[in-house]
């Protein structure tokens, strides 16, 4: 296991910012050290880089959650079944999964900046094309391309964090990113609901295109390289595959990866099913759905900040993770009992409360699985990040269509998928990570 704590983080920031000759050089963010003015500038630049990374990690919820209130409208507009329209979410998720397998190793070989900018440009073009998609099939195809390109932001943001931090510092930074990127699920459905008041679902993709252009310009101007040339891999595809295979042979890394992926699948089953559950089954308006979705996202953010500011450094990451997974299991079980009629007919409020608890507990599960997995590798942060993201998005893509398998009139499939994923995540954590055998 690597060293942990602020000392290791300082060593790695020093490694990024010096040439090895003892002479002071610009840091990864371009600011020379050594005087108070430079220190203030470094802090401002560091905050800006944090915001940029937060924007990159916010890209997936922006791409999917703004679109959620429009799913019933897309079903009507394109005259397609709900299950088919849900494949537009699955396609985007699948693209984000597969794209990370390519972009992660690319960033280990050519650095973080160039693959990121290329991906962002393609994302903007694909999103603009979605505005004009005339059929569900073409929309699915363009959403797949959108996801493939958008993967660059996800995987490289995690790799940049690994370049700069380690140990509890990395866990805290992931919690900070959750605060920033967590704003996106709150405002995205609200924006989507408001856009639908003035235009149709195509206008949502127009707004996403503008967001993509702005984020691309911000990355080009302010996000500098964090992987020094001497630390880059020089091998080709074969070397990248061998690196990934080596990571997968690490039982503990694989355990955290699968546990985090199954927790993400439980979350995404909610993302995919909630527009129909809240609006079609319980009769809520798109604006009410957006409000409930935002409240759930607030719960995730608050718990994530409790994790980063109060728990990390005081209790082990494994203990916080175990508690979070336990709450997710209990919330999913309660949702299954409510939606299956064990308690008779229940209204929207109890179901919304169960979803709130489940979403909030993700604030413990998601940052800690990422941190624990990435702490086991420094030599290939891009490839490790790619495996984490690919696993999460592929399992989420499988879970997405299953929530609608019984039609639009029942929420039971959603609850079943959530419970199976939650139990599976706990089983992987206990069976593969075996936290009682290690000191976190």
């Amino acid at each position: 296991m690597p060293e942990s704590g602020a000392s290791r983080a300082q060593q790695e920031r020093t490694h990024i910012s010096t040439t090895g000759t003892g002479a002071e050089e610009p840091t990864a963010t371009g600011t020379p050290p050594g005087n108070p003015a430079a220190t203030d500038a470094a802090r401002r630049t560091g905050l800006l880089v944090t915001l940029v990374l937060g924007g990159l990690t916010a890209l997936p919820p922006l791409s999917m959650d703004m679109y959620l209130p429009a799913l019933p409208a897309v079903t009507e507009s394109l005259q397609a079944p709900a299950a088919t329209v849900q494949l537009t979410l699955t396609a985007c998720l699948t693209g984000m999964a597969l794209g990370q397998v390519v972009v992660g190793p690319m960033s280990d070989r050519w650095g973080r900046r160039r693959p990121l900018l290329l991906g962002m440009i393609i994302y903007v073009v694909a999103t603009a094309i979605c505005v004009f998609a005339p059929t569900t099939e073409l929309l699915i195809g363009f959403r797949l391309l959108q996801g493939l390109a958008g993967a660059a932001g996800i995987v490289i943001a995690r790799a940049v964090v690994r370049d700069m931090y380690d140990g509890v510092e990395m866990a805290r930074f992931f919690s900070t990113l959750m605060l920033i990127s967590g704003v996106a699920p709150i405002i995205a459905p609200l924006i989507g609901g408001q856009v639908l008041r003035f235009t149709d679902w195509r206008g949502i993709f127009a707004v996403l295109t503008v967001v993509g252009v702005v984020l691309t310009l911000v990355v080009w101007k302010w996000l500098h390289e964090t992987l020094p040339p001497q630390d880059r891999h020089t091998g080709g595809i074969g070397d990248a595959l061998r690196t990934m295979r080596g990571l997968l042979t690490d039982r503990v890394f694989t355990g955290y990866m699968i546990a985090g992926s199954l927790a993400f699948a439980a979350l995404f089953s909610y993302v995919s099913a909630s527009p129909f559950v809240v609006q079609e089954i319980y009769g809520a308006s798109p604006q009410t759905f957006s409000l409930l979705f935002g409240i759930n996202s607030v719960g995730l953010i608050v718990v994530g900040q409790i994790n980063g500011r109060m728990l990390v450094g005081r209790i082990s990451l494994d203990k916080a993770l175990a508690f979070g997974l336990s709450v997710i299991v209990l919330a999913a079980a309660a949702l299954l009992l409510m939606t299956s009629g064990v308690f008779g007919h229940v209204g929207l409020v109890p179901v919304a409360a169960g979803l709130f608890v489940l979403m909030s507990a993700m604030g413990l599960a998601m940052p800690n699985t990422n941190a624990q997995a990435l702490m086991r590798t420094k030599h290939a942060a891009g490839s490790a990040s790619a495996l984490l993201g690919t696993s999460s998005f592929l399992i989420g893509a499988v879970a997405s269509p299953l929530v609608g398998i019984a039609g639009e009139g029942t929420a039971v499939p959603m609850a079943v998928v959530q419970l199976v994923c939650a139990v599976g995540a706990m089983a992987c954590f206990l069976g593969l990570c075996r936290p009682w055998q290690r000191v976190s």
Side-chain angles (χ1 to χ4, degrees):
M1 290 285 287
E3 297 177 300
S4 62
S7 60
R8 175 62 184 271
Q10 181 62 40
Q11 291 170 13
E12 296 195 12
R13 284 193 289 272
T14 302
H15 174 72
I16 292 172
S17 61
T18 62
T19 61
T21 63
E24 290 183 341
E25 295 289 337
T27 64
T29 56
T31 304
N35 60 74
T39 300
D40 291 341
R43 287 171 180 167
R44 289 193 298 270
T45 305
L47 175 61
L48 183 59
V49 171
T50 301
L51 293 173
V52 173
L53 295 179
L56 292 173
T57 56
L59 198 60
L62 280 176
S63 299
M64 291 183 284
D65 297 349
M66 272 185 65
Y67 178 62
L68 293 180
L71 283 178
V74 175
T75 301
E76 182 178 352
S77 172
L78 298 181
Q79 298 181 344
T84 302
V85 172
Q86 282 177 326
L87 288 176
T88 62
L89 290 176
T90 303
C92 185
L93 200 61
T94 302
M96 288 180 179
L98 299 178
Q100 291 182 70
V101 177
V102 177
V103 177
M106 284 176 59
S107 74
D108 282 337
R109 183 175 184 183
W110 290 301
R112 313 304 186 199
R113 182 175 163 82
R114 285 184 291 176
L116 176 57
L117 285 171
L118 177 61
M120 292 301 302
I121 291 170
I122 298 174
Y123 172 87
V124 169
V125 174
T127 306
I129 294 174
C130 288
V131 177
F132 306 102
T135 65
T136 308
E137 291 75 19
L138 288 175
L139 182 60
I140 291 172
F142 294 145
R143 289 281 279 174
L144 177 64
L145 179 61
Q146 182 191 43
L148 286 167
I154 309 167
V155 67
I156 292 178
R158 272 197 305 263
V160 168
V161 174
R162 186 62 185 93
D163 290 340
M164 299 175 67
Y165 297 99
D166 201 357
V168 297
E169 291 292 317
M170 182 167 57
R172 288 195 178 109
F173 198 91
F174 274 127
S175 293
T176 301
L177 285 186
M178 180 168 289
L179 171 63
I180 300 169
S181 63
V183 174
I186 297 174
I187 65 173
L190 294 173
I191 294 173
Q194 294 306 312
V195 170
L196 290 176
R197 299 182 64 166
F198 301 100
T199 182
D200 62 5
W201 59 271
R202 298 180 189 275
I204 292 176
F205 286 108
V207 173
L208 283 172
T209 301
V210 174
V211 171
V213 170
V214 172
L215 188 55
T216 302
L217 293 175
V218 168
V219 167
W220 174 75
K221 182 160 181 68
W222 283 298
L223 187 62
H224 299 272
E225 186 59 63
T226 60
L227 185 65
Q230 65 269 22
D231 289 346
R232 298 176 189 176
H233 291 193
T234 57
I237 295 177
D239 183 66
L241 292 176
R242 283 190 293 272
T243 298
M244 289 186 173
R245 184 175 60 200
L247 291 170
L248 291 175
T249 59
D250 182 343
R251 170 179 54 79
V252 179
F253 173 88
T254 301
Y256 285 121
M257 179 186 72
I258 299 177
S261 300
L262 288 170
F264 179 82
L267 182 151
F268 195 74
S269 65
Y270 156 75
V271 170
S272 180
S274 60
F276 297 97
V277 171
V278 174
Q279 295 180 74
E280 301 296 328
I281 297 177
Y282 293 98
S285 67
Q287 288 71 36
T288 300
F289 161 72
S290 299
L291 177 62
L292 291 176
F293 198 93
I295 291 172
N296 289 342
S297 299
V298 169
L300 187 150
I301 293 172
V302 169
V303 174
Q305 292 314 292
I306 292 173
N307 176 71
R309 296 178 182 274
M310 298 176 61
L311 301 183
V312 170
R314 291 181 173 85
I315 67 172
S316 72
L317 300 185
D318 280 331
K319 288 181 180 178
L321 175 57
F323 181 76
L325 291 176
S326 299
V327 173
I328 293 171
V329 170
L330 293 175
L335 284 167
L336 180 58
L337 293 175
M338 287 188 287
T339 57
S340 61
V342 171
F343 301 128
H345 177 72
V346 297
L348 177 60
V349 173
V351 172
L355 292 171
F356 174 79
V357 173
L358 184 144
M359 282 283 287
S360 297
M362 294 293 173
L364 292 175
M366 297 177 67
N368 290 327
T369 51
N370 281 334
Q372 288 287 68
L374 287 172
M375 270 195 288
R376 299 188 67 82
T377 173
K378 173 63 180 174
H379 64 283
S383 296
S385 177
L387 287 174
L388 290 173
T390 298
S391 175
S392 294
F393 281 82
L394 280 179
I395 294 176
V398 171
S400 175
L402 295 179
V403 299
I405 198 170
E408 303 174 31
T410 176
V412 170
M414 177 192 74
V416 169
V417 171
Q418 288 173 335
L419 183 58
V420 170
C421 290
V423 172
M426 180 63 82
C428 286
F429 173 61
L430 296 177
L432 295 178
C433 301
R434 302 174 188 174
W436 60 87
Q437 295 180 351
R438 298 173 294 105
V439 177
S440 297

